[in-house]
Amino acid sequence: SGERSEDDLTHKMGDIVRINQRLFENINAGAPEIIVEDLWDLLQYHVTTYFDNNTAGVPPAKHRSGRALRTLVQRLKGKRGRFRDNLTGKRVNFAARSTITPDPYLSINEVGIPEAIAKELTVPEFLSEWNEKHLKKMLKETDRILYIIRPNGQRKKVSEENKSEILEELAPGFKIERTLENGDIVLFNRQPSLHRISMMAHYARIMPNKTFRINPGVCKPYNADFDGDEMNLHVPQTEEGKAEARNLMLCSNQAISPRHGGPVVVLDEDSVSGSFTLSLKSTKFEKHEAMRFLYEIGITEIPDADVEGKYYSGKLIFSQLLPKDLNLEYESYACGLVKKAGLCKSCAKEECAFDTFVKIKNGLLVSGVIDSASLGERKGQLADALFRNYGPETLEKFYLGLSRLSTATITRKGMTAGIDEYQTSETVETLRQEAIAEELEESAKLVEEYKKGTLEHIPGKNLAESFETRMLVIGSKVKNKLEKQILKEKIEQTLNVEKPAYNTSIIVLSKAKGSPINFTNMSGFWGQVSVREGRPKRGFKNRLSSINRKGDIGAIAGGFIQNNFIQGLTPREFFYHSMGGRQGEVDTSVATKVSGYLYRRLANSLKDLVINNDETVRTANKNLIQYTYGEDAVFPMKAVRGKSIDVKRIADSVAAEPARQKSKSD
């Protein structure tokens, strides 16, 4: 355009010089005091906005185009400021970024890297007498070595023309830079990096296509999903960097969370559904099918059939992943649901009619189903035992095998959802009508007592608060009755039949996703709408919506929904339901924003705290914060459910030692 482009500070400095000159001239010319004061104020304004163009009560100085000028303070503060954008965080070399997609056939310690990225990123490698032959062969036969670096530090680019010359020159002491190959250690990171395990080390696996591939089990620590998330990959350039990544940052070493001391690298969702299906007592395979499953996990010798002498149970196939001396007993998540449904009067353990009590004896799954209680985040007992008793290598191998097995099981058996599974039985329909009648009757009595003033107060609450709380309690009570019956039928249709339907019941009963309340909402009734832990109140004067009578505070007028999602809601019910939904939407967005900023401030204030050798917690300048770390000197990652020592596990291990030695000698 021919106009000269000035920096914002130069622009501002020009304003200061110009006003200074005018002020000087006016003072010397004896101008009226009001003009001198105006120029004085204007000079003050320009000096202020030179330092901070965002001062409260001062209009920002603007460019001719209307853009606010970026002056000294704006250059330093905030996300795009000098500190956060150029000093504490900056752009780096040897990094790549792409969308992530799932691959259950990869190990948790691997990351699939697109060929296009692998050809761009380089790794330095020292040439020595041990790898001289290998590197010379690579240089001669491939184009994977891009540069050589002489012992004096000179770099030389490798090309087809100078290859033979470089081959003659190469000797121990040289360094080469080659493209990524399978087995190279890399760092993988998803932002925002909110805790230590938002960045972990994986081994490279070069793959076709354009996305990074990871095992879905690695999603939890990264808080990643596959709806378009992008992640960053960094290649360590020094031997120290590679060693630290391999020994300190490898994904399998981070399987236990430093926050709660339970598993955090976990197989969930599809893997839990698949494991649950595989371990059902009704799951059995013929020899050729069983062999296909075993081949998935690298086993070529088939064990003896364990069902009727010719079939292979899913439990037997699952057991091939377990260490031969593993002994465990615990209740599965499904076991808790059986109790909740009132189907279990007293625990029969491995004799349970529904086969929900998990017992593993000498590496064989004797009874029980493998669900979220075995594999889930924080409470996965099987994953926890494998990591603590056998180490990260065993857990990594188990996850790889189970990831393949569960994927194969779902592929073979199928997993579907259909309207027919939410059609209710006559028993449920009768109970539903009774529950609704009970709700309306009891709530009508409460309304009457409230209006008369005879309603019993709840300690610490006034009459109106007591009434609202009791209305919520009634709604919850009648819904629980119906939920219990629906859950009972789902359990019997899945755990107690020869041929279960592989549908959403498996997803809920294994806690792969969802909960029994989803069944009730779809097949029973929604029940009482809740907004801010109470019935919805904000609406018209003395009524919630315009179609209610004034002063009506009964169940229907207060947001009780009698229908379910299969039947469909009435317009009034739909409106009430959206009130509860809106709260969830608002809370999600607001809570994320507020907690994100609070966490940032908290992390910045605590990041210089260190644990000294005397177990005290101190700041960087040695000020004392705690006499003992956490008051008990127990690090959650090393603790077992909050205790520094698990006496029962040690006792069980000692008791099982003779059997372990015997199995080794056999």
Side-chain angles (χ1 to χ4, degrees):
S1 64
E3 286 185 23
R4 59 203 177 99
S5 178
E6 286 182 341
D7 186 277
D8 287 1
L9 289 183
T10 312
H11 189 85
K12 207 80 210 112
M13 197 67 86
D15 289 342
I16 292 171
V17 170
R18 194 172 62 254
I19 297 301
N20 243 324
Q21 187 63 34
R22 280 180 60 194
L23 181 62
F24 177 74
E25 288 168 0
N26 275 276
I27 290 171
N28 286 344
E33 194 175 332
I34 190 164
I35 292 174
V36 172
E37 279 182 5
D38 280 352
L39 288 170
W40 181 272
D41 287 344
L42 192 55
L43 176 62
Q44 181 65 63
Y45 168 78
H46 284 309
V47 171
T48 300
T49 51
Y50 176 77
F51 285 99
D52 185 359
N53 199 23
N54 205 12
T55 310
V58 178
K62 291 182 178 175
H63 205 267
R64 226 175 281 133
S65 63
R67 173 181 66 82
L69 295 176
R70 196 169 155 79
T71 52
L72 286 173
V73 168
Q74 280 69 53
R75 288 170 186 228
L76 298 177
K77 72 189 286 190
K79 202 172 182 179
R80 296 270 78 101
R82 194 67 67 234
F83 292 105
R84 281 177 70 180
D85 211 38
N86 303 108
L87 294 169
T88 54
K90 55 186 74 164
R91 291 179 178 271
V92 293
N93 295 319
F94 309 104
R97 181 177 174 90
S98 185
T99 309
I100 54 165
T101 48
D103 187 342
Y105 294 97
L106 285 178
S107 158
I108 57 168
N109 279 345
E110 290 181 306
V111 57
I113 301 175
E115 288 168 346
I117 288 176
K119 284 176 183 172
E120 289 290 323
L121 297 175
T122 60
V123 182
E125 202 168 320
F126 286 94
L127 193 136
S128 68
E129 57 194 53
W130 295 295
N131 65 0
E132 183 177 4
K133 197 174 176 183
H134 166 69
L135 291 181
K136 282 188 172 179
K137 186 182 178 187
M138 186 191 292
L139 178 62
K140 188 177 180 181
E141 296 177 2
T142 70
D143 56 356
R144 291 189 39 239
I145 294 179
L146 305 184
Y147 288 92
I148 64 154
I149 301 163
R150 296 188 175 97
N152 63 5
Q154 280 186 322
R155 289 168 66 87
K156 189 168 186 178
K157 188 173 172 63
V158 176
S159 64
E160 283 299 325
E161 291 76 35
N162 64 10
K163 249 188 194 182
S164 51
E165 180 192 322
I166 289 171
L167 268 170
E168 293 294 321
E169 188 183 0
L170 269 186
F174 274 67
K175 195 160 79 168
I176 61 105
E177 286 186 359
R178 60 164 176 81
T179 56
L180 272 184
E181 64 181 29
N182 288 341
D184 282 332
I185 194 84
V186 295
L187 302 184
F188 207 41
N189 162 242
R190 180 183 176 275
Q191 287 161 325
S193 307
L194 296 180
H195 58 169
R196 191 189 71 202
I197 43 182
S198 286
M199 182 181 278
M200 294 188 287
H202 299 261
Y203 292 110
R205 171 85 81 87
I206 314 304
M207 302 178 85
N209 302 317
K210 296 184 178 180
T211 60
F212 287 135
R213 255 63 57 88
I214 56 171
N215 186 299
V218 188
C219 287
K220 277 280 189 294
Y222 288 126
N223 192 25
D225 48 37
F226 302 106
D227 59 4
D229 289 27
E230 292 181 3
M231 287 182 69
N232 306 316
L233 180 120
H234 303 268
V235 184
Q237 295 295 299
T238 63
E239 291 306 316
E240 296 93 329
K242 291 177 196 173
E244 285 186 355
R246 201 174 286 112
N247 293 298
L248 299 177
M249 300 178 70
L250 193 63
C251 178
S252 57
N253 294 339
Q254 321 302 326
I256 300 296
S257 167
R259 178 169 67 92
H260 50 65
V264 67
V265 177
V266 289
L267 298 181
D268 63 349
E269 299 188 8
D270 280 1
S271 295
V272 172
S273 303
S275 306
F276 186 85
T277 305
L278 184 66
S279 56
L280 285 171
K281 65 180 178 184
S282 57
T283 302
K284 59 185 181 184
F285 303 100
E286 291 182 359
K287 188 173 182 177
H288 69 279
E289 290 178 305
M291 195 64 239
R292 194 179 297 166
F293 278 101
L294 292 170
Y295 196 74
E296 280 284 350
I297 54 174
I299 293 175
T300 51
E301 287 188 24
I302 195 161
D304 295 332
D306 63 334
V307 179
E308 301 167 18
K310 58 177 180 176
Y311 294 113
Y312 296 79
S313 69
K315 285 182 168 63
L316 178 67
I317 292 170
F318 175 83
S319 299
Q320 305 309 305
L321 298 170
L322 303 174
K324 296 302 172 207
D325 57 347
L326 177 66
N327 291 285
L328 270 181
E329 283 188 15
Y330 56 90
E331 291 182 358
S332 67
Y333 172 77
C335 188
L337 294 183
V338 169
K339 287 179 179 176
K340 184 179 179 181
L343 291 166
C344 180
K345 299 292 181 277
S346 62
C347 188
K349 295 203 169 180
E350 63 264 35
E351 301 299 322
C352 174
F354 296 95
D355 189 37
T356 56
F357 184 84
V358 179
K359 182 174 182 179
I360 298 170
K361 189 174 181 182
N362 296 331
L364 192 68
L365 180 61
V366 177
S367 68
V369 284
I370 301 300
D371 57 21
S372 67
S374 300
L375 305 172
E377 186 183 12
R378 196 168 190 163
K379 292 179 180 172
Q381 296 205 41
L382 179 56
D384 188 71
L386 288 173
F387 183 87
R388 293 185 192 280
N389 297 346
Y390 298 92
E393 296 82 9
T394 302
L395 183 67
E396 183 258 333
K397 197 175 170 187
F398 170 76
Y399 275 166
L400 177 59
L402 187 56
S403 190
R404 286 168 167 266
L405 268 186
S406 55
T407 304
T409 304
I410 294 178
T411 308
R412 171 77 183 80
K413 294 280 187 186
M415 186 69 63
T416 187
I419 294 291
D420 60 331
E421 62 179 291
Y422 300 106
Q423 303 298 341
T424 52
S425 65
E426 286 182 18
T427 312
V428 169
E429 189 52 40
T430 306
L431 192 62
R432 177 176 165 273
Q433 297 299 341
E434 287 172 3
I436 291 170
E438 184 185 337
E439 160 75 22
L440 297 177
E441 188 183 328
E442 288 196 25
S443 60
K445 283 181 189 172
L446 270 181
V447 170
E448 204 174 314
E449 286 178 24
Y450 171 67
K451 285 182 175 175
K452 287 179 182 175
T454 58
L455 183 71
E456 187 183 341
H457 281 54
I458 294 171
K461 296 192 176 186
N462 61 30
L463 186 66
E465 289 169 345
S466 300
F467 170 71
E468 289 297 330
T469 303
R470 289 185 195 281
M471 289 293 277
L472 281 176
V473 169
I474 292 171
S476 175
K477 185 179 76 174
V478 296
K479 190 170 183 178
N480 286 343
K481 280 185 187 174
L482 189 60
E483 185 182 320
K484 201 171 173 181
Q485 179 59 33
I486 294 173
L487 181 59
K488 188 176 176 181
E489 291 186 6
K490 294 291 182 188
I491 288 170
E492 286 173 340
Q493 290 163 12
T494 306
L495 298 176
N496 226 6
V497 291
E498 193 63 36
K499 290 186 176 177
Y502 300 110
N503 55 27
T504 53
S505 297
I506 281 179
I507 295 171
V508 170
L509 295 180
S510 64
K511 192 117 179 85
K513 203 78 175 162
S515 76
I517 203 161
N518 300 130
F519 289 144
T520 316
N521 292 340
M522 287 188 271
S523 303
F525 58 79
W526 177 269
Q528 180 62 56
V529 170
S530 169
V531 177
R532 302 262 169 248
E533 297 174 4
R535 298 200 302 166
K537 295 182 189 67
R538 286 174 174 264
F540 290 83
K541 192 176 180 182
N542 294 329
R543 53 183 170 169
L544 192 56
S545 70
S546 58
I547 56 173
N548 292 345
R549 286 198 185 92
K550 279 195 174 182
D552 188 353
I553 52 170
I556 303 296
F560 182 77
I561 296 176
Q562 303 179 58
N563 289 308
N564 57 48
F565 291 151
I566 295 293
Q567 295 166 319
L569 309 184
T570 65
R572 177 181 5 206
E573 288 175 337
F574 184 85
F575 185 71
Y576 290 159
H577 178 263
S578 69
M579 288 179 166
R582 186 180 297 111
Q583 181 207 328
E585 291 294 316
V586 171
D587 282 0
T588 304
S589 55
V590 172
T592 306
K593 184 179 170 188
V594 172
S595 63
Y597 185 50
L598 282 176
Y599 171 79
R600 180 179 163 75
R601 288 164 59 188
L602 183 68
N604 282 335
S605 68
L606 299 178
K607 67 184 176 187
D608 70 331
L609 297 187
V610 290
I611 303 166
N612 282 32
N613 290 335
D614 60 358
E615 289 186 354
T616 59
V617 180
R618 297 173 186 263
T619 61
N621 55 1
K622 300 297 180 193
N623 288 337
L624 189 65
I625 301 294
Q626 269 184 323
Y627 286 109
T628 308
Y629 164 71
E631 308 294 354
D632 58 3
V634 174
F635 179 43
M637 190 174 174
K638 304 289 183 188
V640 183
R641 285 180 284 283
K643 295 175 184 171
S644 52
I645 296 173
D646 187 347
V647 177
K648 185 179 183 301
R649 185 172 285 176
I650 293 169
D652 290 347
S653 178
V654 170
E657 189 60 33
R660 195 179 292 135
Q661 294 300 333
K662 187 175 183 298
S663 69
K664 279 183 182 175
S665 61
D666 290 347

